[in-house]
Amino acid sequence: MSDEIFDCLVVGGGPAGATAANDLALAGRKVALLDRAGRIKPCGGAIPPRAIDMFGVPEDLLVAKIKKARIISPKHHYVDIPIKGGFVGMVDREDFDEWLRARACANGAVRLTGTYQSLERDADGIAMVMWRPKAEGHGGRPRRIRARTIIGADGARSNVARDAVPGGDSIPYVIAYHEIVRAPRSGCDYEPDRCDVYYDGRISPDFYGWVFPHGPCASVGMGTEQDGISVKGATRDLRVMAGLDRVETLRKEGAPIPLQPLKRWDNGRDVVLAGDAAGVVAPSSGEGIFYAMFGGRCAAQAVDEALATRRATALAGARRQFMRTHGGVFWILRKMQDYWYTTDARRERFVAICQDVDVQELTFDAYMNKELVKARPLAHARIFWKNVLHLAGLVPAWGRETARRAEPGGVGT
């Protein structure tokens, strides 16, 4: 394969890379997909209906359909939010990512199993990637693959970004950790169609903890940007709070998750980034699958245009397209996280605000459809003034009639 030249080499076979490889293969491009097998990213696994429709995800990949969300405050007050007129799909990343890779290969992508080593260029200026095939023991001998363009979709600490894109070696990130456990049959307040989100500084000082159903299993985890936090200890405490401390643990996973999109995704020549490598995880919510797949599609379209026009400047279109579509949502979510997630007093009020029906409906409408909702200006006005009152402390966080508590151990009262 050393003398063969591909139109594009995609490094990383997660949702971003596999989507990009699939789109390019369908466009008739000669594409190779390099992925190291066996890695499962820690992830709640939520994908909204927009992702299911846009990317043709078959229903049999969904291990659960979520019909409501429960958010829990530091004082164990909780709000149940129904998902009206639809559901949020849940996937297991091990099976979901492999299906995406297999689909790309079925449509013409060449699959390579191994690890990216370095990026060089031959005498003609063609990108030349050194990679090490996966093999027993210490791995196979290094090999070489040449490609006119490269999509770096190899995670938050992307080696492609480090080697090729200005600023790609300094992406900020949080550490996410979760444990896949056996779903309980009884003994705690757990529902197989409800996601639980814990806004509690004892679990995470700057993010949140979660319990997400996965059919016969559940994902229990948290994330934090702060050093010195025991993610395993916090997850252990969360399992106690949720009444899941005695169920069987099936596997444990941790990984860095980017905090914000990089200011630049391409090198102006032949490399463009996608997914976590580009920093496209939503602030506040931590949602990444949909945005990774959308970013992978943006990268594929930019590469296809660059190849067709022979203009490397087309690669910058990937970031422009993504930020034009979702940059406004990311900005708002970043501001929300920077304010509401900083103290338990603010987290308490944040959960209390979510009692509001306008907040619930607009939040989930935006989540399900992946765009800011502009059709209800009066609702936006009501939400604005309710936020002002809460920020000023002029209203109690919890009324006697509405306060509900979820006691540690997973028993609601």
Side-chain angles (χ1 to χ4, degrees):
M1 190 173 292
S2 60
D3 294 327
E4 191 173 10
I5 300 178
F6 285 85
D7 290 325
C8 183
L9 169 65
V10 180
V11 180
T19 298
N22 185 64
D23 283 4
L24 285 169
L26 289 174
R29 296 298 180 182
K30 188 176 181 180
V31 56
L33 175 62
L34 173 63
D35 183 68
R36 56 177 186 174
R39 179 181 178 274
I40 308 171
K41 181 182 175 181
C43 176
I47 57 173
R50 181 75 183 277
I52 295 171
D53 294 340
M54 181 179 290
F55 300 105
V57 177
E59 192 163 318
D60 60 9
L61 278 176
L62 304 181
V63 295
K65 294 182 178 180
I66 301 304
K67 301 295 181 63
K68 60 183 171 181
R70 172 172 291 183
I71 57 175
I72 301 104
S73 78
K75 294 182 179 179
H76 305 294
H77 293 110
Y78 70 85
V79 175
D80 283 340
I81 305 176
I83 301 174
K84 297 180 179 179
F87 64 87
V88 175
M90 305 298 294
V91 297
D92 188 296
R93 287 293 299 272
E94 181 177 19
D95 298 327
F96 181 68
D97 289 13
E98 177 56 28
W99 178 84
L100 291 173
R101 290 189 287 267
R103 179 174 67 171
C105 294
N107 286 322
V110 175
R111 183 170 180 175
L112 307 174
T113 302
T115 306
Y116 169 93
Q117 299 287 298
S118 63
L119 172 62
E120 304 170 3
R121 287 182 174 79
D122 63 17
D124 296 326
I126 301 295
M128 187 168 58
V129 168
M130 302 303 295
W131 65 285
R132 186 179 294 275
K134 182 180 180 181
E136 297 297 330
H138 297 289
R141 296 174 60 185
R143 297 184 184 179
R144 178 185 72 178
I145 182 171
R146 295 193 293 169
R148 293 183 176 85
T149 58
I150 296 170
I151 294 177
D154 51 335
R157 290 186 283 211
S158 165
N159 290 323
V160 175
R162 177 203 64 202
D163 290 346
V165 177
D169 58 347
S170 59
I171 183 170
Y173 57 85
V174 303
I175 295 298
Y177 174 82
H178 80 159
E179 298 177 357
I180 298 295
V181 304
R182 190 79 65 190
R185 295 183 178 180
S186 61
C188 65
D189 188 10
Y190 172 89
E191 296 181 21
D193 64 349
R194 187 189 75 208
C195 283
D196 294 351
V197 181
Y198 288 76
Y199 293 102
D200 191 324
R202 291 165 294 183
I203 302 302
S204 174
D206 53 350
F207 202 55
Y208 63 78
W210 69 81
V211 177
F212 288 174
H214 280 197
C217 311
S219 165
V220 186
M222 54 79 67
T224 181
E225 183 184 358
Q226 294 189 15
D227 295 331
I229 303 297
S230 171
V231 294
K232 293 183 178 179
T235 302
R236 181 182 61 246
D237 294 343
L238 174 58
R239 289 181 64 169
V240 172
M241 284 186 184
L244 299 173
D245 51 316
R246 297 185 179 181
V247 299
E248 180 185 5
T249 302
L250 302 177
R251 67 177 194 257
K252 302 177 181 181
E253 297 148 1
I257 307 296
L259 282 174
Q260 61 190 30
L262 287 176
K263 293 182 178 179
R264 184 170 180 176
W265 293 5
D266 71 286
N267 67 345
R269 179 174 181 175
D270 53 8
V271 176
V272 64
L273 306 177
D276 283 7
V280 294
V281 172
S284 181
S285 69
E287 183 190 359
I289 295 177
F290 170 81
Y291 294 112
M293 297 178 79
F294 187 86
R297 176 154 292 174
C298 292
Q301 291 172 351
V303 162
D304 190 54
E305 181 180 349
L307 291 169
T309 62
R310 297 186 179 183
R311 293 201 309 266
T313 54
L315 296 175
R319 189 183 191 280
R320 284 197 302 270
Q321 181 181 353
F322 186 96
M323 298 304 292
R324 184 168 57 244
T325 308
H326 299 294
V329 172
F330 272 47
W331 185 87
I332 290 172
L333 292 176
R334 179 80 258 173
K335 295 300 181 184
M336 285 177 55
Q337 181 175 340
D338 288 345
Y339 183 83
W340 290 112
Y341 291 12
T342 52
T343 69
D344 274 352
R346 290 180 179 180
R347 293 184 188 96
E348 195 72 34
R349 286 197 173 270
F350 174 73
V351 175
I353 289 172
C354 292
Q355 296 175 98
D356 186 88
V357 174
D358 287 327
V359 171
Q360 294 178 12
E361 291 183 353
L362 289 178
T363 297
F364 270 100
D365 194 15
Y367 173 82
M368 304 279 270
N369 296 300
K370 286 290 163 283
E371 58 186 12
L372 294 174
V373 181
K374 301 177 182 178
R376 297 176 57 195
L378 292 178
H380 282 284
R382 288 195 298 268
I383 290 171
F384 172 79
W385 287 111
K386 290 169 187 174
N387 271 274
V388 170
L389 293 173
H390 273 279
L391 290 170
L394 299 177
V395 295
W398 301 99
R400 293 181 179 178
E401 307 81 11
T402 59
R404 293 183 290 180
R405 291 177 59 83
E407 297 299 334
V411 180
T413 60

